[in-house]
Amino acid sequence: MQDSGRQTGLEARSVHAWRGDRHVIRGLSLRVTPGHCLHLAGPNGVGKTTLIRILAGLIRPEDGSVLWRGEAVGHDPDAFHADTAFLGHDNALKADLSPLENLAFWSALAGRPAAAVAATLGAFGLQACLGLPVRVLSAGQKRRVALARVALSGASLWLLDEPFTNLDTGGIRLVEAQLAQHLAAGGMAVVAAHQPVTPDQGEVRRMELS
Amino acid sequence: MQDSGRQTGLEARSVHAWRGDRHVIRGLSLRVTPGHCLHLAGPNGVGKTTLIRILAGLIRPEDGSVLWRGEAVGHDPDAFHADTAFLGHDNALKADLSPLENLAFWSALAGRPAAAVAATLGAFGLQACLGLPVRVLSAGQKRRVALARVALSGASLWLLDEPFTNLDTGGIRLVEAQLAQHLAAGGMAVVAAHQPVTPDQGEVRRMELS
Amino acid sequence: MTARPGLWRVGMAVYARDLRLAFRRWEQAVQPVVFLLMVATLFPLALSPEAAQLRGVAAGVLWVAALLASLLALEFLFRADHEDGSLEQLVLSGHPLGWLSIFKVLAHWTISGLPLVLVSPVVATSLAVPASALAVVMLSLLLGTGVLSFVGGAAAALTLGVKRGGVLVSVLTLPLVMPALIFGAQAADLAIMGESARGPLLLLLALLVLSVSLAPLAIAAALRIGVE
Amino acid sequence: MTARPGLWRVGMAVYARDLRLAFRRWEQAVQPVVFLLMVATLFPLALSPEAAQLRGVAAGVLWVAALLASLLALEFLFRADHEDGSLEQLVLSGHPLGWLSIFKVLAHWTISGLPLVLVSPVVATSLAVPASALAVVMLSLLLGTGVLSFVGGAAAALTLGVKRGGVLVSVLTLPLVMPALIFGAQAADLAIMGESARGPLLLLLALLVLSVSLAPLAIAAALRIGVE
Amino acid sequence: MWTWFHKLASPPHFYRIAGLTIPAFSWAAGLLVAAGLYGGLVLAPPDYQQGEGFRIFYVHVPSAILSMFVYATMAIAAAIGLIWRMKLAHAVAAASAPIGAWFTACALATGSIWGKPMWGTWWVWDARLTSELILLFLYLGYLGLRSSFDDLQRADRASAVLAVIGIVNLPVIHYSVVWWNSIHQGSTLLTPGAMPIAMKWPALCMLAGFALFYGAVLFVRLRGEVVRRERSAAWLREVLVK
Amino acid sequence: MTPRQKRIWMVVGIVGGVGLAATLALQAFQDNLMYFQSPTQVLEQPIAGERSFRLGGLVEPGSVTREPGNLEVRFRITDNVEAIEVSYAGLLPDLFREGQGVIVRGKLGADGLFVAEEVLAKHDENYMPPEVAESLRMPPLIKQVEAGGA
Ligand code: HEM
Ligand SMILES: Nc1ncnc2c1ncn2[C@@H]1O[C@H](COP(=O)(O)OP(=O)(O)OP(=O)(O)O)[C@@H](O)[C@H]1O
Ligand SMILES: Nc1ncnc2c1ncn2[C@@H]1O[C@H](COP(=O)(O)OP(=O)(O)OP(=O)(O)O)[C@@H](O)[C@H]1O
Ligand SMILES: [Mg+2]
Ligand SMILES: [Mg+2]
């Protein structure tokens, strides 16, 4: 397992990061292998968002390295990003376009069939809003559209920053079901959340930052 | 109680509201009296935000009326607003100013003493960030600053739209403690939230929209 | 309930906050001025040599550059407050919205209009305006930028619900401030020619009084629509 | 993993999305043009009658107006994507960022630059430019607005982390596009005078080629900094 | 060589070296400028055409050359900072910009003052003058961009990109008098025989003096930058307490 | 594409772009892109009458004549190949003298007389003490022609 993990998963080795003059991430190491989900927990401001953005390659760590399938992410970032889906605090949706149009664009960039978009949005309980401009959706409905983008991406690694924000209990169950399916198919995930993360399948490891 | 409620609290009478061509709020009535908290629950997109914004006077209902201390809100909106604190999905913070500067401004507008600001921010666990520009705070820290504004306002009526967003469990307990104190002092609150709302003092009534 | 603060205190709080925000990024507060200087540089470049020589161009270039510089800054008058939710809070503050907006506009003018007025003698001199005309040029710009801030403020408030309002603000404002531009440039022009500019200056003053008394109403109404 | 879409398909997807967004609010897509028309109207108003007479002013006014109109629109090239998180997703899309940015800039040019070129004959004619010079005027603006979109795109990308970037974008862009302005206005001027404008047009073309080949690199680097 | 370079680039080491160099540079700069001024204003003969007026040469030329040299230094440092992510290189670029802006302003001012009597105008829009003005705008844009960020790392990298873009302006400034018919004269210092040695040596002194002055100011500002950037580092506390 | 291939394509694109731009710019320099034009250039392709432009060259030695009583000056500007007669009314810069480089802005009349609105002096890169210049006797005319006509 140890070795195959090196080759197939995501690994961070003693990563350090500063924000301003705060040393937020201090020598953190982690590993995620297929079928596993890492749940990042910890109080507000501890650095969960910072860590997820480092793993995604949006922030370069001051020190340490992030490896994907055994190679440094910086070596071929495009290949890494092609296999990763990231959800941040923002939803990355255009207020003037409908959920359908928004996701059609992202799935075109990811090289996924356009046909799947409507079905996935439906699975997220958005049948009634497919054609409305995103600006009129409620906060929870917007979050669901953003989550549908991740589910559509076909990426092996999901990086989700507080995916449950603004979701009702039904929405949370939905996301966990999608996560379970992803893990069961050999996917990986890193999820920052204040709530427990309990998909039916796949193994969740909780990591408390402090 | 019924009559004194009429005179001292907030009342909505068969309010109707459309968003686009959706009839979102259909003849809804409610009443909040001193010491009471109304917890609005319901699935995503059901109309919680719409209702709270109607109560705050940001949206005019298509039909029905909102009364404050027995008088229509439209009669003297300034007096009503002077006694109300509203927290929306947005935090109303200037990214370039520090939490201290942000709240000093709002409390000056509310006519509250400037001295209380630092103490309240401290009570919300923000001692370490008093002087940082808000832009660098984490999502949960920003939400805490926004909540501190409400606690500082000295208003009798709190209208909170998903106050627990991005908060860790400690943060949620903190907000509930402040809410308990507010209710115990005869304050009123309307809170939209997907989580349970359980302050130690005051009475919470849950209203499920659908 | 606590004692409500007086109107002056509230107004000054708004004014002080906006100035503080501007000075937190002072390098941006000077940008309208830099922009003015650059447009005033660009124009002679783009004009044919003979046209550039004419003093008649000076008033026009100065006024159009000042107008554009202050338009550019206008967009941010209410938009930032709208986007971060502060505007809702101002609407719900329990103070007269028109009153608050006067102070927001004044702060905006202090940041973007006043510096233009102050550097205008330099630019005017570089455009060969005689020293005797500088006072009138400054006065015309003083009144003119005031009109611009108030009228532009109303336009900026109206476009709040709209993304990419920038150009829309300009489009709404330009026709409204055209009279100011015409009288202002005329005043400057007369002064450059060594004649009395009293007529157009009085008209500019009238425009300023008019916009100060009407714009706040329009702004308040537009802001309420903007936050709905 | 799925088959990655080809570079052309990806580029066209970006281009099509930005155009669709613009047309969703077409009234804003026409704003640069309206702005151009207005500045071209205002100028003669602000100029003294003798200056307004001169055809030598035409090329300058046209070019400066076009430059400002397209500057105004520039700010939104990346800012909207930055604010709603789309930019992060583009950076993480696994496609070369420089390549994607070329198509974003092209979309921006299609919306804000091309219409300027298309209406320029009307404006030029109203400024007494002879019909024989219209083709050169249009060509110079075609090349010039292209330079502007690419150079300005780099400036817009650089100011992403900054609030109130608007004026800063202009301040960074103007010096870089000064050469384009000089050659463009010179070309228009020569054509108006009935002479060959080959030299300045060739230089404009050279500037365009240079900016198309270098700007995407700068834009990609700046965008990566912007999302950090 | 490479290890030496790395050692120099390490902030504590640099801080110490800079402490030693600053006085040396300042003294040398002071002496050279004094010698240059004496040589230029007193010893050098008047020019056959311009008479005594030509002496502004001794300020204009070194400031103009330094304005370009400082920009080149800044852009190269910025590029190094971008590529090798070297903090000290970014600090060099940041510290150079205001100095370069002052040299540029000085070249423009002295040029204008010189132009009025010699050419008969303060300013014309020819290629040399315009491109030098653009250089000033580039410096100002660089400074404006830098100070608009509150995060130092982002400010460093964003402004570095701008500095690198702007370098295309340098050859335009230098060759403008060759490529275009310009009112500005061609190169005196680089043309053999264009200036007798009695007039030339004070100019070279001034040039060297200005360059050393730049070095000294740069190092002073750099120490400030290093302190700002490393304010939480342990070594700095030791140095400052001492 | 591997990262390496991508980098190669990128470099190819940039080098190609810069090269093309340079070629175009060189092409452009063959046309008149000058701050001023020399008499030869002007006479080769005459410029329409009402347009003002800049003419540069040397003040032909011995050609300067002043009208008594007013400020008008007449002189000829030459590049040692062609010469154009110029008339100007106004203050001249200090450096204006015979053999000196000048740039004048104005219009060329149909009669071949250039009416200047502005006269600027231009000098070359040569500096020398007056004695040396005296001993050379012939001011650096040749150099100036090169500089002016380059
Ligand atoms: C505002 C007006 C002027 C500006 C912006 C300006 C700008 C410059 C610049 C940028 C250089 C450096 C060129 C290089 O190293 O490649 C320079 C050099 C020089 N300038 Fe000026 N200049 C101005 C006016 C003048 C005037 C009026 C004179 C004399 C009449 C003059 C004489 C010189 C000389 C002698 C050099 C040295 C050339 C060399 O040997 O490299 N400049 N100027
Ligand atoms: N420039 C800065 N100076 C000082 N501290 C900073 C700066 N930028 C960020 N920080 C701090 O770094 C931390 C970043 O936290 P991050 O956003 O990663 O937290 P988080 O774990 O995601 O929190 P949350 O649960 O609230 O989303 C915060 O505590 C923030 O205050
Ligand atoms: N123009 C429109 N046309 C049709 N439907 C609209 C329009 N504007 C809003 N809606 C719908 O009205 C509802 C508004 O819901 P609101 O934002 O009040 O929900 P909420 O209960 O706060 O949800 P959440 O829990 O997600 O925050 C949403 O379902 C939205 O889709
Ligand atoms: Mg976070
Ligand atoms: Mg809601």
Side-chain angles (χ1 to χ4, degrees), chain A residues 37-195:
Chain A
C37 167
L38 181 69
H39 172 195
L40 298 178
N44 289 139
V46 78
K48 303 179 293 298
T49 298
T50 309
L51 179 56
I52 283 211
R53 292 174 72 87
I54 289 174
L55 295 178
L58 285 170
I59 301 181
R60 284 206 228 164
E62 206 80 5
D63 201 6
S65 56
V66 180
L67 309 178
W68 173 242
R69 303 205 195 275
E71 276 197 55
V73 160
H75 177 69
D76 187 358
D78 286 353
F80 169 60
H81 288 145
D83 210 12
T84 310
F86 168 79
L87 173 77
H89 279 301
D90 296 322
N91 290 322
L93 301 173
K94 286 290 156 196
D96 288 335
L97 300 183
S98 69
L100 265 184
E101 291 169 319
N102 267 294
L103 294 203
F105 170 68
W106 293 118
S107 67
L109 275 202
R112 308 285 296 175
V117 174
T120 311
L121 282 171
F124 276 87
L126 296 163
Q127 303 84 347
C129 328
L130 290 184
L132 291 178
V134 163
R135 70 163 68 251
V136 306
L137 299 190
S138 81
Q141 289 167 335
K142 285 180 198 154
R143 199 65 177 163
R144 286 169 185 235
V145 181
L147 284 157
R149 172 176 56 69
V150 173
L152 266 172
S153 70
S156 323
L157 174 65
W158 288 5
L159 300 169
L160 311 180
D161 195 359
E162 306 209 18
F164 307 135
T165 309
N166 294 327
L167 292 191
D168 58 18
T169 43
I172 295 179
R173 269 202 306 278
L174 250 162
V175 175
E176 290 191 328
Q178 294 277 346
L179 186 61
Q181 207 177 316
H182 172 66
L183 296 177
M188 289 161 261
V190 179
V191 179
H194 297 297
Q195 296 92 331

Side-chain angles (χ1 to χ4, degrees), chain D residues 7 55 96 183 186 190 193 195 198-200 202-203 205-206 209-210 213-214 217, chain F residues 1 6 10 13-14 17-18 20-21 24-25 27-28 31-33 47-48 50-51:
Chain D
L7 281 178
R55 286 193 306 191
F183 299 134
Q186 195 183 345
L190 285 173
M193 299 302 168
E195 285 167 52
R198 189 164 161 272
L202 276 177
L203 271 181
L205 186 60
V209 172
L210 197 70
S213 42
L214 295 183
L217 273 184
Chain F
M1 274 197 284
K6 273 183 209 158
M10 205 176 73
I14 292 167
V18 172
L20 182 57
L24 286 168
Q27 283 286 317
D31 289 271
N32 55 343
L33 257 187
I47 293 168
E50 53 179 289
R51 175 161 177 245

Side-chain angles (χ1 to χ4, degrees), chain A residues 128-129 132-133 135-142 166-168, chain B residues 18-22 24-25 42-51 89 161-162 192 194 209:
Chain A
C129 328
L132 291 178
R135 70 163 68 251
V136 306
L137 299 190
S138 81
Q141 289 167 335
K142 285 180 198 154
N166 294 327
L167 292 191
D168 58 18
Chain B
W18 267 260
R19 303 268 75 194
D21 47 10
R22 270 199 55 193
V24 179
I25 310 277
N44 288 138
V46 78
K48 302 180 293 299
T49 298
T50 308
L51 179 56
H89 280 300
D161 195 1
E162 307 210 16
H194 297 297
L209 302 187

Side-chain angles (χ1 to χ4, degrees), chain F residues 30-50:
Chain F
Q30 294 175 358
D31 289 271
N32 55 343
L33 257 187
M34 305 304 174
Y35 184 68
F36 59 85
Q37 280 154 297
S38 69
T40 310
Q41 283 166 331
V42 172
L43 294 176
E44 266 172 12
Q45 27 162 251
I47 293 168
E50 53 179 289

